[in-house]
Amino acid sequence: MELQEEPSQTGRKRRTPRSLSEVLLKLSAETNTDDLSRVSVQMIRNALADRSLATFLTITCLMNLLPFPPGTTLILGVPVILVALQMVWGSPTVWLPKFFLNMSLSDESFNKLTIKIVPRLQKLERWLRPRWWPFSTNKLAERVIGIFALIIGIFVFVPVPGSNWLPALSGAICGLALSQRDGKWLAAGVVLGVVSCSIVAAGLFFGGKLAIDLAG
């Protein structure tokens, strides 16, 4: 991952991760200068470097916010769990099946997609910045957040209509916070996750108890 330097309050320069929008813009520029005809998922993953785990955690969680038919969480919840397990395991970058890595877009399609996505992403990134980060190393951050994301993934996987939305939103926020090393947004994501998972757990408990009472 490429880093850029910014001055700290003490006057010393602090190394911070490049924003996701900057990574996409650079990759788009490289496709224009290197005469690349296609941009594969593997190229995007490599460009994200050690932030690929955080980014794919965000993407897999956001997929569960889309209005798919009930029961699809049994499929869409699995990638969240897989990414979280790799974070806990300490993988240097996200593992994806070979066929998925080989999927690609033409350079023209990728550039058009970048033009549409980057302005929206830049607006979001104005709210995200390195601050209040409680972890001393990236690996420690990924492992701790990975454990939390694994719990979130399990609740996302639960096939109860409407129960996965808030946990998935929590996971997406945590992924964005990890990508930008933003402790403030990480705290917000964790609080949302704890509250939402508690609500889902309580609903499952009382729903199960009611079902047992009715059956008895």
Side-chain angles (χ1 to χ4, degrees):
M1 174 181 58
E2 296 191 25
L3 300 176
Q4 57 187 357
E5 294 183 343
E6 63 177 24
S8 64
Q9 294 179 349
T10 60
R12 299 176 60 185
K13 289 185 176 181
R14 181 163 53 93
R15 292 168 66 81
T16 58
R18 293 174 64 89
S19 66
L20 180 56
S21 62
E22 289 175 319
V23 173
L24 291 177
L25 284 173
K26 182 179 179 181
L27 185 58
S28 178
E30 288 175 351
T31 61
N32 293 327
T33 58
D34 295 345
D35 295 326
L36 296 174
S37 59
R38 303 193 68 82
V39 179
S40 67
V41 174
Q42 184 170 1
M43 292 173 59
I44 298 173
R45 185 194 66 176
N46 294 343
L48 292 169
D50 68 338
R51 275 191 301 155
S52 63
L53 286 164
T55 303
F56 278 94
L57 173 63
T58 302
I59 292 172
T60 54
C61 287
L62 288 176
M63 287 172 59
N64 285 274
L65 300 180
L66 299 176
F68 289 115
T72 53
T73 55
L74 291 173
I75 299 175
L76 297 179
V78 173
V80 179
I81 296 175
L82 287 177
V83 173
L85 284 173
Q86 292 177 66
M87 294 172 68
V88 176
W89 184 259
S91 299
T93 187
V94 67
W95 175 87
L96 295 168
K98 190 66 176 178
F99 77 90
F100 190 76
L101 288 174
N102 291 334
M103 294 175 62
S104 63
L105 291 172
S106 67
D107 57 346
E108 183 179 356
S109 298
F110 180 77
N111 290 333
K112 289 181 179 179
L113 186 64
T114 301
I115 292 172
K116 291 181 179 180
I117 291 179
V118 167
R120 295 178 175 86
L121 193 56
Q122 288 174 332
K123 290 181 180 179
L124 178 61
E125 287 170 348
R126 293 193 186 102
W127 298 89
L128 290 160
R129 61 181 183 272
R131 55 183 167 178
W132 303 355
W133 196 239
F135 304 104
S136 57
T137 65
N138 294 338
K139 285 299 179 185
L140 177 61
E142 286 182 352
R143 284 194 169 97
V144 173
I145 297 174
I147 293 173
F148 181 74
L150 182 58
I151 298 172
I152 290 292
I154 293 172
F155 277 88
V156 171
F157 183 78
V158 174
V160 178
S163 66
N164 67 317
W165 201 89
L166 286 178
L169 178 60
S170 166
I173 293 174
C174 289
L176 286 170
L178 175 59
S179 178
Q180 293 298 318
R181 315 299 190 252
D182 192 329
K184 184 176 181 179
W185 276 91
L186 177 62
V190 170
V191 170
L192 177 61
V194 171
V195 172
S196 60
C197 289
S198 299
I199 293 173
V200 174
L204 291 174
F205 174 78
F206 289 110
K209 188 175 185 301
L210 178 61
I212 292 174
D213 292 341
L214 292 175

